[in-house]
Amino acid sequence: MPKKPAENVRSTPFNMRVRPAIKAAAEQMAADDRRSVASWIELLIEAEAERRAAANKG
C-alpha cells in the first residue's frame, strides 16, 4: 500500500468533552455511516468549511 501524502496523515490529537447524549448521537450517526467517530467528525468539519467558503463567495 502506498504511503499517504504528509498532509493526509492523521497525527494531531483532537480531544473534546461533550454531553453523554451528544456522544451517543455521534457514535450512532458514525456507525450508521460505517465510519469511526473521528472520521465522521472530520467529514462534518470539511463539509462545513466548504459550505462557509461557498457562502462567502457570493
Side-chain angles (χ1 to χ4, degrees), residues 25-35 40:
E27 288 173 335
Q28 184 60 59
M29 288 185 268
D32 291 347
D33 291 348
R34 300 175 67 194
R35 297 186 168 278
W40 186 76

Side-chain angles (χ1 to χ4, degrees), residues 32-56:
D32 291 347
D33 291 348
R34 300 175 67 194
R35 297 186 168 278
S36 67
V37 173
S39 173
W40 186 76
I41 291 173
E42 186 176 25
L43 287 175
L44 288 178
I45 293 169
E46 289 173 348
E48 179 63 10
E50 289 175 11
R51 186 192 70 79
R52 288 181 183 207
N56 287 335

